[in-house]
Amino acid sequence: MFIRQISIFIENRPGRLAAVTQLLGDAGIDIRSLSLADTKDFGILRLIVNKPDMAIGVLKDAGCTITVTNVVGVKIPDRPGGLAEILQILNRADVNVEYMYAFVNRSSDRADVIFRMDNEEKGLRVLQENEVAILSCDEVYDS
């Protein structure tokens, strides 16, 4: 099950991040997870939101430069070595993790992590074959 991640290219200047998040908030869009990477001149804000189609429209209408990417949400046991086990499964299948970040969840017995892989179809298949718990879209968008 793929989750749609929205990446927004924003200028690295005061107030720009606040403006983008305000835009989404005013539209009733809830941010479920985010990651921000920056350089001197610009940043890439990666978001998982509860209403991706609406967010895409709102951001495009506001003139934002965005891309939409498939990512996979994985339920990882919250214990030492839990993440390492998942990464080893992907490594054995020669699937590269390009980046990842944690997903906020109200559960205390696991960590939910968003993975962007170089081959998302293969990565998802390998995780499922190894009985790794995958987050459904409903769990992400409606939580």
Side-chain angles (χ1 to χ4, degrees):
M1 178 73 49
F2 294 117
I3 298 166
R4 292 174 30 186
Q5 172 189 265
I6 302 168
S7 297
I8 309 160
F9 297 89
I10 56 175
E11 291 177 81
N12 192 356
R13 62 179 174 89
R16 189 63 184 130
L17 181 59
V20 170
T21 57
Q22 185 68 51
L23 183 69
L24 294 171
D26 289 348
I29 297 165
D30 191 15
I31 298 170
R32 300 290 191 213
S33 184
L34 64 85
S35 171
L36 178 64
D38 70 331
T39 66
K40 181 180 176 193
D41 298 321
F42 70 93
I44 300 173
L45 176 62
R46 294 181 174 110
L47 299 174
I48 307 294
V49 298
N50 67 329
K51 302 173 186 173
D53 291 329
M54 181 186 288
I56 291 164
V58 166
L59 293 165
K60 284 184 177 181
D61 288 347
C64 295
T65 301
I66 68 167
T67 59
V68 179
T69 308
N70 286 335
V71 293
V72 176
V74 177
K75 302 174 188 180
I76 299 176
D78 188 14
R79 59 174 166 68
L83 176 59
E85 290 172 10
I86 304 303
L87 293 172
Q88 286 300 327
I89 289 169
L90 294 169
N91 183 53
R92 285 191 299 270
D94 199 32
V95 175
N96 184 47
V97 174
E98 294 179 355
Y99 57 83
M100 57 188 244
Y101 52 95
F103 178 83
V104 176
N105 188 295
R106 291 175 181 85
S107 174
S108 61
D109 64 342
R110 69 175 201 243
D112 294 343
V113 178
I114 300 297
F115 285 85
R116 170 67 177 150
M117 297 171 273
D118 63 349
N119 185 335
E120 68 263 5
E121 296 282 343
K122 180 179 179 183
L124 178 60
R125 186 183 73 249
V126 167
L127 291 170
Q128 290 171 329
E129 288 170 355
N130 282 273
E131 299 180 5
V132 173
I134 304 297
L135 286 166
S136 71
C137 290
D138 289 342
E139 288 176 286
V140 174
Y141 301 146
D142 298 331
S143 63

